[in-house]
Amino acid sequence: MKVLAVISLLCFVSLGYCQQGNLVELAEQLGAKTLVDLVKEAGLAETLSTGGPFTIFGPTDDAFTKLPRVIINYLKKNKTALQDVLKYHVVSGKVYSSQLSNELQAASLLTPAKIRINIYQGGKVVTADGSPIVKVDQNATNGVIHVVDRVMFPIPIESMVDMVKADRQLKTLLAAVTAAGIGGALGADGLTLFAPTDKAFAKLPAGTLDNLLKNKTALTEVLTYHVVKGTAFSASLTDGEKVATLEGKDLSISLDNGMVKVDNAMVIRPDDAVTNGVIHIIDSVLLPPQYRRHFRLNN
């Protein structure tokens, strides 16, 4: 262990460009036991040991414990699914932290899925598919590992609009988006959608939704107030932050005991990654300031 500590110190001094065995061996040295075990179960150990070069966004053991047990059990029983998840964490070639840029989409080994890189707070927070990178540039003989603290799952294979269509609790939002004709706007790259559930819309005063559906201008303003330009995963959000919406007004972010609040709404399911950004599911409809005096939410 003392030898490894000395090697790690030398790697740090030399900006991390130090080789400590192949990628699988390095992952073991970094303490990523679950990752190594799953790589072996998936039959990918030889490829990651002798092939490459590769860049691995390697989840910690704690990252895997955050996954529901039912998902871990499913992956262990379904070799193809396990391979897909692991391949999504790997990029061909050596990609060092100095090469990462905001909104970069790196092609993973799971074609055509891409890993979205985001850089927040002046570089203090860097994420891969929303997962903070906690250790960078761990060099191996056949590649490099960046350690992440969340497993990048589910894999983003649907667009923002397609995910809204597929989510059973977003039927009202889908109807509103269709009526407003903003599906094309939601197809742009690098967007964040705070998506109200059907129950959220039901909290609006009686007749409010019907009136909005009849007034395309008002409906568009309300819906675009839910959309932020730029991919804002939860790791990027700070207490007291203001984020600009496509509607033009700012949303207010507050954090309390790990919960995220956006204006009057609570984020009840964060970080649904999509191919062109991220969706956060919220429990209330967000109203631009010009409409708040007309409508009051029913709690």
Side-chain angles (χ1 to χ4, degrees):
M1 292 300 293
K2 290 183 179 179
V3 173
L4 288 179
V6 172
I7 292 175
S8 296
L9 178 60
L10 291 175
C11 289
F12 175 79
V13 171
S14 62
L15 301 179
Y17 297 99
C18 173
Q19 296 178 339
Q20 299 185 44
N22 63 51
L23 285 166
V24 174
E25 292 169 338
L26 177 57
E28 290 178 328
Q29 293 174 21
L30 292 171
K33 183 179 184 301
T34 305
L35 174 62
V36 173
D37 289 345
L38 292 176
V39 163
K40 291 177 179 178
E41 288 186 34
L44 297 175
E46 182 176 355
T47 297
L48 295 180
S49 295
T50 63
F54 299 117
T55 297
I56 297 178
F57 293 89
T60 62
D61 287 350
D62 285 343
F64 281 103
T65 63
K66 295 174 187 177
L67 283 179
R69 175 52 55 182
V70 64
I71 293 177
I72 290 293
N73 291 339
Y74 168 75
L75 293 176
K76 287 186 175 182
K77 293 177 181 178
N78 189 322
K79 187 174 181 179
T80 299
L82 177 59
Q83 288 177 338
D84 286 349
V85 170
L86 294 174
K87 287 178 181 178
Y88 180 61
H89 287 72
V90 184
V91 173
S92 289
K94 290 185 178 183
V95 182
Y96 289 101
S97 59
S98 60
Q99 298 170 269
L100 302 180
S101 59
N102 191 46
E103 301 291 7
L104 170 71
Q105 295 185 67
S108 74
L109 294 191
L110 182 65
T111 306
K114 296 181 179 180
I115 302 170
R116 183 178 294 271
I117 302 298
N118 288 103
I119 301 176
Y120 307 114
Q121 301 172 29
K124 293 180 180 179
V125 177
V126 181
T127 63
D129 198 37
S131 175
I133 301 175
V134 296
K135 188 178 293 185
V136 300
D137 299 339
Q138 302 301 295
N139 223 51
T141 55
N142 64 326
V144 61
I145 296 177
H146 303 298
V147 181
V148 296
D149 77 351
R150 183 175 65 79
V151 179
M152 298 188 296
F153 182 87
I155 299 166
I157 57 175
E158 294 180 310
S159 69
M160 186 169 286
V161 172
D162 286 340
M163 182 166 280
V164 170
K165 289 178 179 179
D167 196 317
R168 294 182 179 179
Q169 63 178 334
L170 300 180
K171 293 180 180 179
T172 307
L173 176 61
L174 175 60
V177 167
T178 302
I182 64 168
L186 293 182
D189 188 60
L191 296 179
T192 300
L193 170 64
F194 293 97
T197 63
D198 293 345
K199 290 182 179 179
F201 278 100
K203 291 163 63 176
L204 289 170
T208 300
L209 180 59
D210 288 340
N211 288 334
L212 284 173
L213 291 172
K214 295 174 184 176
N215 185 334
K216 188 173 182 179
T217 298
L219 180 62
T220 299
E221 289 179 350
V222 169
L223 291 176
T224 54
Y225 186 64
H226 291 74
V227 185
V228 173
K229 179 63 176 176
T231 307
F233 284 97
S234 60
S236 76
L237 302 176
T238 59
D239 191 43
E241 180 182 5
K242 302 286 186 181
V243 292
T245 68
L246 293 189
E247 185 270 341
K249 308 296 190 307
D250 289 346
L251 291 171
S252 297
I253 305 296
S254 57
L255 307 181
D256 185 21
N257 293 323
M259 298 296 294
V260 178
K261 192 172 184 179
V262 186
D263 280 0
N264 63 298
M266 295 297 298
V267 175
I268 56 177
R269 195 177 82 210
D271 297 333
D272 280 351
V274 292
T275 56
N276 63 316
V278 64
I279 298 175
H280 304 292
I281 307 299
I282 57 177
D283 69 352
S284 298
V285 176
L286 306 173
L287 294 175
Q290 65 269 31
Y291 292 105
R292 292 174 191 170
R293 65 179 180 271
H294 299 296
F295 306 130
R296 288 186 178 276
L297 298 181
N298 296 320
N299 294 318

